[in-house]
Amino acid sequence: MEPQTNTREPIIQEPQIQEPDHSEDQKPDSAEPEATRRVAGATESSRANRGWWDRNADDYQTEHGTFLGDDRFVWGPEGLDEVEAELLGPPEDLKGKDVLEIGAGAAQCSRWLAAQGARPVALDLSHRQLQHALRIGGRVPLVEADAGALPFADGSFDLACSAYGALPFVADPVRVLKEVHRVLRPGGRFVFSVTHPIRWAFPDEPGPEGLSVSSSYFDRTPYVEQDEEGRAVYVEHHRTVGDRVRDVVAGGFRLLDLVEPQWPAWNTQEWGGWSPLRGNLIPGTAIFVCVRD
């Protein structure tokens, strides 16, 4: 996809808000998908994850919408809030800044940025997630696109951010990082959070069973859920901490900080494999703060 010359117009602004499509081609498979570790390339990963998020966006927003809020900027299941972390800079400095949110979901983070006076654009691969952004409301422009082919001209944004969006799910993270680098202006900052790489050595369970190492931290084989015909319906890609740092550099960025949020006492809820039990012992989220020099 070639970058478009118009720097600010979203690709979609008014997708119709509708009930989930329950036709056969939209339903999740009746059989439980098989979980495995195998190679999954860029095209297969993108197709699988677009479908997964379209099918599961409703459940995701129902389960986590209260925690995420309508206009709260949360970096991960620990609940680290940008209003306190200031990883994008002091809130008062965000006014008038052009900000791209990648993997925006229902655009909660973008809505918070808009409240600070920034000019955010919320981008997501999933059409259904963006429909939830419309349901919540606000005047944030919405873009449905792949993070590996951002439809913006060079130097369109002052800042970019991604809270668990895109990077855990793509086969070629350097491609995404290079695209973000391209659309940022010199001096622009990109902050993104992902599952902490150490978690890949442990079972994805919130209880005591999730505290014993079960696989090699150095095994980069993707995690794939596939249907009865072997087609991927969900894909996640593992990178070690060193891999992530090298990816940042290969993407043209300088790493300013690596934040590993501790689990706060106030957060008593479980979120998938994240929990107070595990969060007090091993990190669950890694946040990379990068700058385009």
Side-chain angles (χ1 to χ4, degrees), residues 10-42:
I11 294 176
I12 59 167
Q13 283 186 304
E14 298 297 336
Q16 294 182 351
I17 305 175
Q18 58 188 16
E19 292 303 310
D21 184 353
H22 293 296
S23 62
E24 288 301 318
D25 61 345
Q26 291 293 325
K27 284 184 180 179
D29 292 333
S30 55
E32 285 293 321
E34 175 195 10
T36 186
R37 300 287 291 272
R38 67 166 174 81
V39 174

Side-chain angles (χ1 to χ4, degrees), residues 9 41 92 110 118 151-152 167 179 182 201 205-206 209 217 220-221 242 253 261-262 269 275 282:
E9 287 298 317
E92 59 270 20
S110 285
F152 305 104
L167 282 160
E179 276 291 272
R182 179 183 64 77
E205 298 290 342
E209 63 273 28
Y217 169 76
R220 277 84 161 182
T221 308
F253 288 96
Q262 290 185 300
Q269 78 165 33
S275 66
I282 55 175

Side-chain angles (χ1 to χ4, degrees), residues 34-259:
E34 175 195 10
T36 186
R37 300 287 291 272
R38 67 166 174 81
V39 174
T43 299
E44 183 180 29
S45 298
S46 178
R47 178 195 57 77
N49 288 323
R50 182 193 296 270
W52 192 93
W53 283 105
D54 280 344
R55 290 190 303 273
N56 291 278
D58 295 350
D59 290 341
Y60 178 86
Q61 294 298 332
T62 297
E63 183 177 358
H64 302 299
T66 300
F67 181 80
L68 296 172
D70 289 345
D71 56 357
R72 183 182 174 207
F73 196 134
V74 182
W75 284 108
E78 295 84 1
L80 180 65
D81 203 306
E82 175 60 14
V83 73
E84 300 171 352
E86 297 188 359
L87 301 181
L88 293 170
E92 59 270 20
D93 291 349
L94 297 173
K95 186 175 182 179
K97 296 290 180 64
D98 295 314
V99 188
L100 175 62
E101 183 187 5
I102 299 168
Q108 288 95 339
C109 298
S110 285
R111 220 169 275 109
W112 180 87
L113 288 163
Q116 313 312 308
R119 295 191 294 266
V121 173
L123 179 144
D124 202 281
L125 183 69
S126 167
H127 185 78
R128 187 60 182 170
Q129 283 282 57
L130 294 177
Q131 287 182 322
H132 281 284
L134 287 175
R135 171 184 58 79
I136 294 172
R139 299 184 59 84
V140 174
L142 306 176
V143 176
E144 183 179 338
D146 193 301
L150 297 175
F152 305 104
D154 298 357
S156 297
F157 298 95
D158 300 299
L159 298 166
C161 58
S162 183
Y164 275 81
L167 282 160
F169 309 105
V170 297
D172 187 356
V174 174
R175 179 182 176 187
V176 174
L177 286 157
K178 286 182 176 179
E179 276 291 272
V180 177
H181 184 278
R182 179 183 64 77
V183 302
L184 279 176
R185 295 165 187 145
R189 182 175 288 203
F190 178 38
V191 184
F192 66 92
S193 62
V194 295
T195 302
H196 198 289
I198 194 64
R199 284 296 182 94
W200 282 75
F202 296 83
D204 191 27
E205 298 290 342
E209 63 273 28
L211 295 175
S212 298
V213 172
S214 61
S215 60
S216 171
Y217 169 76
F218 301 101
D219 182 2
R220 277 84 161 182
T221 308
Y223 169 82
V224 177
E225 294 178 3
Q226 58 188 20
D227 63 19
E228 292 174 310
E229 297 182 7
R231 294 173 300 192
V233 296
Y234 178 85
V235 182
E236 273 194 59
H237 292 268
H238 171 46
R239 309 289 286 159
T240 68
V241 172
D243 292 338
R244 290 287 183 201
V245 172
R246 285 184 287 274
D247 291 345
V248 164
V249 174
F253 288 96
R254 176 165 55 92
L255 184 64
L256 296 178
D257 198 2
L258 171 55
V259 180

Side-chain angles (χ1 to χ4, degrees), residues 272-287:
W274 289 263
S275 66
L277 174 66
R278 297 182 80 200
N280 282 307
L281 296 172
I282 55 175
T285 297
I287 309 174

